[in-house]
Amino acid sequence: MSGPFIFIATNRLREGKLDAERERVPELCAFIEASEPQLIAFNEYASEDGTEVGVVQVHPDAASMEFHMEVVAERAMRAYAETLDATTSIQVYGEPSDAVLEMLGRQAGAGVPMTVKRYHLGGFTRTQQS
């Protein structure tokens, strides 16, 4: 049984950069929404103390994630230069391709914990609200 490919990353913000991140994210989301029609969901959340953000992505499959990483590569580099300090953890749900694993390893850097849960046991995804 194949489910969606879900990616969750936690990133530490540079000190005092929550407001800059708040300004950056709406434009990023608009760009992703326009550039990646296959992407089911893309959301970013901030911690209460403003020191970290979590990014949650829901893709139809690993190929969509691979495409996403190529589309946002330049913007991701800029974010790490301006607002994001480091990725602190990665969670992957679904079967990642070797290319996705390699890209994630390169992006996150050595020593960042990455959990992969490959086997979808069941569930559902709503694509339209009732």
Side-chain angles (χ1 to χ4, degrees):
M1 178 178 278
S2 179
F5 185 89
I6 300 171
F7 169 80
I8 302 170
T10 301
N11 301 303
R12 186 173 51 245
L13 286 170
R14 294 181 180 276
E15 190 171 336
K17 291 297 186 176
L18 178 60
D19 287 340
E21 184 71 357
R22 276 191 182 118
E23 291 175 19
R24 182 185 78 82
V25 170
E27 187 276 328
L28 173 66
C29 290
F31 171 77
I32 290 170
E33 187 173 22
S35 303
E36 301 181 55
Q38 80 289 354
L39 187 58
I40 297 167
F42 181 93
N43 293 278
E44 183 168 325
Y45 298 86
S47 64
E48 193 169 312
D49 66 2
T51 61
E52 65 182 18
V53 293
V55 177
V56 180
Q57 301 174 28
V58 181
H59 296 266
D61 52 33
S64 171
M65 178 67 179
E66 207 170 312
F67 179 72
H68 168 76
M69 293 178 76
E70 292 170 6
V71 167
V72 301
E74 183 179 312
R75 290 167 190 267
M77 286 191 324
R78 203 170 340 138
Y80 280 99
E82 297 171 2
T83 59
L84 302 178
D85 183 36
T87 299
T88 58
S89 70
I90 293 174
Q91 297 176 45
V92 173
Y93 298 86
E95 185 66 45
S97 66
D98 290 340
V100 166
L101 289 174
E102 192 267 323
M103 287 179 189
L104 290 175
R106 203 171 352 123
Q107 177 187 340
V112 175
M114 181 165 44
T115 303
V116 178
K117 295 189 171 89
R118 298 173 186 273
Y119 307 110
H120 183 252
L121 301 179
F124 63 91
T125 302
R126 295 185 199 267
T127 55
Q128 295 184 14
Q129 293 185 347
S130 306

Coordinates of all heavy atoms in Angstrom, one line a residue, residues 67-113:
F67 N 11.9 16.8 -7.2 CA 11.6 18.0 -8.1 C 11.6 19.2 -7.2 O 12.2 20.3 -7.5 CB 10.3 17.8 -8.8 CG 9.9 19.0 -9.7 CD1 10.6 19.3 -10.8 CD2 8.9 19.8 -9.3 CE1 10.3 20.3 -11.6 CE2 8.5 20.9 -10.0 CZ 9.2 21.2 -11.2
H68 N 11.0 19.2 -6.0 CA 10.9 20.3 -5.1 C 12.3 20.8 -4.7 O 12.5 22.0 -4.7 CB 10.1 19.9 -3.9 CG 10.2 20.9 -2.8 ND1 9.5 22.1 -2.8 CD2 10.9 20.9 -1.6 CE1 9.8 22.8 -1.7 NE2 10.7 22.1 -1.0
M69 N 13.1 19.9 -4.4 CA 14.5 20.2 -3.9 C 15.3 21.0 -5.0 O 16.0 21.9 -4.7 CB 15.2 19.0 -3.4 CG 14.5 18.5 -2.1 SD 15.3 17.0 -1.5 CE 16.8 17.8 -0.7
E70 N 15.0 20.6 -6.3 CA 15.7 21.3 -7.4 C 15.1 22.6 -7.6 O 15.8 23.6 -7.8 CB 15.6 20.4 -8.6 CG 16.3 19.1 -8.6 CD 16.0 18.2 -9.7 OE1 15.3 18.6 -10.7 OE2 16.5 17.0 -9.7
V71 N 13.8 22.8 -7.5 CA 13.1 24.0 -7.7 C 13.5 25.1 -6.7 O 13.7 26.2 -7.0 CB 11.5 23.8 -7.7 CG1 10.8 25.1 -7.6 CG2 11.1 23.1 -9.0
V72 N 13.6 24.7 -5.4 CA 13.9 25.6 -4.3 C 15.3 25.7 -3.9 O 15.7 26.4 -3.0 CB 13.0 25.3 -3.1 CG1 11.5 25.4 -3.4 CG2 13.4 24.0 -2.4
A73 N 16.2 25.1 -4.6 CA 17.6 25.0 -4.2 C 18.2 26.4 -4.0 O 18.8 26.7 -2.9 CB 18.5 24.2 -5.2
E74 N 18.1 27.3 -4.9 CA 18.6 28.6 -4.8 C 18.0 29.4 -3.6 O 18.7 30.0 -2.8 CB 18.4 29.4 -6.1 CG 19.1 30.8 -6.0 CD 18.9 31.5 -7.4 OE1 19.1 30.9 -8.4 OE2 18.4 32.7 -7.3
R75 N 16.7 29.3 -3.5 CA 16.0 30.0 -2.3 C 16.4 29.4 -1.0 O 16.5 30.1 0.0 CB 14.5 29.9 -2.6 CG 14.0 30.7 -3.7 CD 12.6 30.4 -4.1 NE 12.3 31.1 -5.3 CZ 11.7 32.3 -5.4 NH1 11.4 32.9 -4.3 NH2 11.4 32.8 -6.6
A76 N 16.6 28.1 -1.0 CA 17.1 27.4 0.3 C 18.4 27.9 0.7 O 18.7 28.2 1.9 CB 17.1 25.9 0.1
M77 N 19.3 28.1 -0.3 CA 20.7 28.6 0.0 C 20.6 30.0 0.6 O 21.3 30.4 1.5 CB 21.6 28.5 -1.2 CG 22.0 27.2 -1.6 SD 23.3 27.1 -2.9 CE 23.0 28.4 -4.0
R78 N 19.7 30.8 0.0 CA 19.5 32.2 0.5 C 19.0 32.2 1.9 O 19.4 33.0 2.7 CB 18.6 32.9 -0.5 CG 18.8 34.4 -0.5 CD 18.1 35.2 -1.6 NE 17.7 34.3 -2.7 CZ 16.6 34.4 -3.3 NH1 15.6 35.2 -3.0 NH2 16.3 33.6 -4.4
A79 N 18.0 31.3 2.2 CA 17.4 31.2 3.5 C 18.5 30.9 4.5 O 18.5 31.5 5.6 CB 16.3 30.2 3.5
Y80 N 19.3 29.9 4.2 CA 20.4 29.6 5.2 C 21.4 30.7 5.4 O 22.0 30.8 6.4 CB 21.1 28.3 4.8 CG 20.3 27.1 5.1 CD1 19.5 26.4 4.2 CD2 20.3 26.6 6.4 CE1 18.7 25.3 4.5 CE2 19.5 25.5 6.8 CZ 18.8 24.8 5.8 OH 18.0 23.8 6.2
A81 N 21.5 31.5 4.4 CA 22.4 32.7 4.5 C 21.8 33.8 5.3 O 22.5 34.6 6.0 CB 22.9 33.2 3.1
E82 N 20.5 33.9 5.3 CA 19.8 35.1 5.9 C 19.1 34.8 7.2 O 19.2 35.6 8.1 CB 18.8 35.7 4.8 CG 19.5 36.2 3.6 CD 18.5 36.6 2.5 OE1 17.3 36.5 2.7 OE2 19.0 37.0 1.4
T83 N 18.3 33.7 7.2 CA 17.4 33.5 8.4 C 17.6 32.2 9.1 O 17.4 32.1 10.3 CB 15.9 33.7 8.0 OG1 15.6 32.7 7.0 CG2 15.6 35.0 7.5
L84 N 17.9 31.2 8.4 CA 18.1 29.8 9.0 C 19.5 29.6 9.4 O 20.4 29.9 8.6 CB 17.6 28.7 8.1 CG 16.2 28.8 7.5 CD1 15.9 27.7 6.5 CD2 15.2 28.8 8.7
D85 N 19.7 29.1 10.6 CA 21.0 28.8 11.1 C 21.5 27.4 10.7 O 22.6 27.2 10.2 CB 21.1 29.0 12.6 CG 22.5 28.8 13.2 OD1 23.4 29.2 12.5 OD2 22.6 28.3 14.3
A86 N 20.6 26.4 11.0 CA 20.9 25.0 10.7 C 19.7 24.2 10.8 O 18.7 24.5 11.5 CB 22.0 24.5 11.7
T87 N 19.8 23.1 10.0 CA 18.7 22.0 10.2 C 19.1 21.2 11.4 O 20.3 20.8 11.5 CB 18.7 21.2 8.9 OG1 18.3 22.0 7.8 CG2 17.7 20.0 9.0
T88 N 18.2 20.9 12.3 CA 18.5 20.1 13.5 C 17.9 18.7 13.4 O 18.4 17.9 14.2 CB 18.0 20.9 14.7 OG1 16.6 21.1 14.6 CG2 18.8 22.2 14.9
S89 N 16.9 18.5 12.6 CA 16.4 17.1 12.4 C 15.6 17.0 11.2 O 15.0 18.0 10.7 CB 15.5 16.7 13.6 OG 14.3 17.4 13.7
I90 N 15.5 15.8 10.7 CA 14.7 15.5 9.5 C 14.0 14.2 9.7 O 14.5 13.3 10.2 CB 15.6 15.3 8.2 CG1 16.3 16.7 7.9 CG2 14.9 14.7 7.0 CD1 17.3 16.5 6.7
Q91 N 12.7 14.2 9.3 CA 11.9 13.0 9.3 C 11.3 12.8 7.9 O 10.8 13.7 7.3 CB 10.7 13.2 10.3 CG 11.1 13.3 11.7 CD 9.9 13.6 12.6 OE1 8.9 12.9 12.5 NE2 10.0 14.5 13.5
V92 N 11.4 11.6 7.4 CA 10.9 11.2 6.1 C 9.9 10.1 6.3 O 10.2 9.1 7.0 CB 12.0 10.8 5.2 CG1 11.5 10.3 3.9 CG2 13.0 12.0 4.9
Y93 N 8.7 10.2 5.7 CA 7.7 9.1 5.8 C 7.4 8.8 4.3 O 6.9 9.6 3.5 CB 6.4 9.6 6.5 CG 6.7 10.0 7.9 CD1 7.1 11.2 8.3 CD2 6.5 9.0 8.9 CE1 7.4 11.6 9.6 CE2 6.8 9.4 10.2 CZ 7.2 10.6 10.6 OH 7.5 10.9 11.9
G94 N 7.7 7.5 4.0 CA 7.6 7.1 2.6 C 8.9 6.6 2.1 O 10.0 6.6 2.8
E95 N 9.0 6.1 0.9 CA 10.2 5.5 0.3 C 11.0 6.5 -0.4 O 10.6 6.9 -1.6 CB 9.7 4.4 -0.7 CG 10.9 3.6 -1.2 CD 11.6 2.8 -0.2 OE1 11.0 2.1 0.6 OE2 12.9 2.8 -0.2
P96 N 12.1 7.0 0.1 CA 12.9 8.0 -0.5 C 13.7 7.4 -1.6 O 14.2 6.3 -1.4 CB 13.7 8.6 0.6 CG 13.8 7.5 1.6 CD 12.6 6.7 1.5
S97 N 13.9 8.1 -2.7 CA 14.9 7.7 -3.7 C 16.3 7.9 -3.2 O 16.5 8.7 -2.2 CB 14.7 8.4 -5.0 OG 15.0 9.8 -4.8
D98 N 17.3 7.3 -3.8 CA 18.7 7.5 -3.4 C 19.0 9.0 -3.6 O 19.8 9.6 -2.9 CB 19.6 6.6 -4.3 CG 19.5 5.2 -3.9 OD1 19.0 4.9 -2.8 OD2 19.9 4.3 -4.7
A99 N 18.5 9.6 -4.7 CA 18.7 11.0 -5.0 C 18.2 11.9 -3.9 O 18.9 12.8 -3.5 CB 18.1 11.4 -6.3
V100 N 17.0 11.6 -3.4 CA 16.5 12.4 -2.3 C 17.3 12.3 -1.0 O 17.6 13.2 -0.4 CB 15.0 12.0 -2.0 CG1 14.5 12.5 -0.6 CG2 14.1 12.5 -3.1
L101 N 17.7 11.0 -0.7 CA 18.6 10.8 0.5 C 19.9 11.6 0.4 O 20.4 12.2 1.3 CB 18.8 9.3 0.7 CG 17.6 8.5 1.2 CD1 18.0 7.1 1.3 CD2 17.1 9.0 2.6
E102 N 20.5 11.5 -0.8 CA 21.7 12.2 -1.1 C 21.5 13.7 -0.9 O 22.3 14.4 -0.3 CB 22.3 11.8 -2.5 CG 23.7 12.3 -2.7 CD 23.8 13.6 -3.4 OE1 23.0 13.9 -4.2 OE2 24.7 14.4 -3.0
M103 N 20.5 14.3 -1.5 CA 20.2 15.7 -1.5 C 20.0 16.2 0.0 O 20.5 17.2 0.4 CB 19.0 16.1 -2.3 CG 19.2 16.1 -3.8 SD 17.6 16.5 -4.6 CE 18.0 16.2 -6.3
L104 N 19.2 15.4 0.7 CA 18.9 15.7 2.1 C 20.2 15.7 2.9 O 20.4 16.6 3.8 CB 17.9 14.8 2.7 CG 16.4 14.9 2.2 CD1 15.5 13.9 2.8 CD2 15.9 16.3 2.5
G105 N 21.0 14.7 2.7 CA 22.3 14.6 3.5 C 23.2 15.8 3.2 O 23.8 16.3 4.1
R106 N 23.2 16.2 1.9 CA 24.0 17.4 1.5 C 23.5 18.7 2.1 O 24.2 19.5 2.6 CB 24.1 17.4 0.0 CG 25.2 18.2 -0.5 CD 25.4 18.1 -2.0 NE 24.5 17.2 -2.7 CZ 23.7 17.5 -3.7 NH1 23.6 18.7 -4.1 NH2 22.9 16.6 -4.2
Q107 N 22.2 18.8 2.1 CA 21.5 20.0 2.6 C 21.7 20.2 4.1 O 22.0 21.2 4.6 CB 20.0 20.1 2.2 CG 19.3 21.3 2.7 CD 17.8 21.2 2.5 OE1 17.4 20.4 1.6 NE2 17.1 21.9 3.2
A108 N 21.4 19.1 4.8 CA 21.4 19.1 6.2 C 22.8 19.2 6.8 O 23.0 19.8 7.9 CB 20.6 18.0 6.8
G109 N 23.7 18.5 6.2 CA 25.0 18.4 6.8 C 25.2 17.2 7.6 O 24.3 16.5 8.0
A110 N 26.5 16.9 8.0 CA 26.8 15.7 8.8 C 26.3 15.9 10.2 O 26.3 17.0 10.7 CB 28.3 15.6 8.8
G111 N 25.9 14.8 10.8 CA 25.5 14.8 12.2 C 24.0 15.2 12.4 O 23.6 15.2 13.6
V112 N 23.3 15.6 11.4 CA 21.9 15.9 11.6 C 21.1 14.6 11.6 O 21.2 13.8 10.7 CB 21.4 16.8 10.5 CG1 19.9 17.1 10.6 CG2 22.1 18.1 10.5
P113 N 20.3 14.4 12.7 CA 19.6 13.1 12.8 C 18.5 13.1 11.7 O 17.7 14.0 11.5 CB 19.0 13.1 14.2 CG 19.1 14.5 14.7 CD 20.2 15.2 13.9

